[in-house]
Amino acid sequence: QGRLVESGGGLVQAGGSLRLSCAASGIIFSIDTMGWYRQAPGKQRELVASIESSGGTNYADSVKGRFTISRDNTKATVSLQLNSLKPEDTAVYYCNARINKRDSWGQGTQVTVSS
């Protein structure tokens, strides 16, 4: 079964940048959609961005033009570049991937943007 391990995140001032990375490991036969979700305190988890194995991407309206998702199929990794960060981007960010036709989640990494 696949496992996802995230890295990156932290504290940054508004307008700053961060990069999140996520690596899949374990017995992997296939990885379909990979993506990033986030959950702010008191709010539901929401999709931030996703990317298909073909490279097709999808972004939440709130991050379009600021965040960029990418993946390396040979390394089974997905990354999220966060630019022009705003205080409302503060949340726990979770990596998600459909590995071997089953959804897998990372443990989450905190992103805090100070005003």
Side-chain angles (χ1 to χ4, degrees):
Q1 185 171 344
R3 178 171 172 258
L4 297 172
V5 178
E6 299 145 345
S7 59
L11 173 64
V12 65
Q13 289 188 331
S17 298
L18 285 172
R19 186 174 181 84
L20 307 181
S21 296
C22 175
S25 62
I27 301 173
I28 299 173
F29 299 105
S30 66
I31 304 179
D32 299 311
T33 307
M34 303 184 83
W36 290 91
Y37 288 70
R38 67 186 180 186
Q39 187 166 20
K43 295 188 177 181
Q44 290 189 330
R45 189 174 297 189
E46 63 175 359
L47 174 68
V48 176
S50 63
I51 184 167
E52 303 298 328
S53 56
S54 61
T57 58
N58 181 47
Y59 293 92
D61 288 342
S62 59
V63 307
K64 283 181 180 177
R66 300 189 298 122
F67 293 6
T68 303
I69 190 170
S70 60
R71 68 187 280 173
D72 185 330
N73 291 329
T74 63
K75 297 180 179 179
T77 60
V78 60
S79 297
L80 186 68
Q81 179 67 38
L82 297 73
N83 295 330
S84 302
L85 281 161
K86 304 175 181 180
E88 51 262 44
D89 294 318
T90 296
V92 177
Y93 284 69
Y94 296 90
C95 176
N96 170 269
R98 191 151 182 86
I99 301 174
N100 301 338
K101 308 303 181 186
R102 297 178 64 179
D103 274 336
S104 296
W105 292 89
Q107 77 282 3
T109 185
Q110 178 70 45
V111 171
T112 302
V113 184
S114 63
S115 56

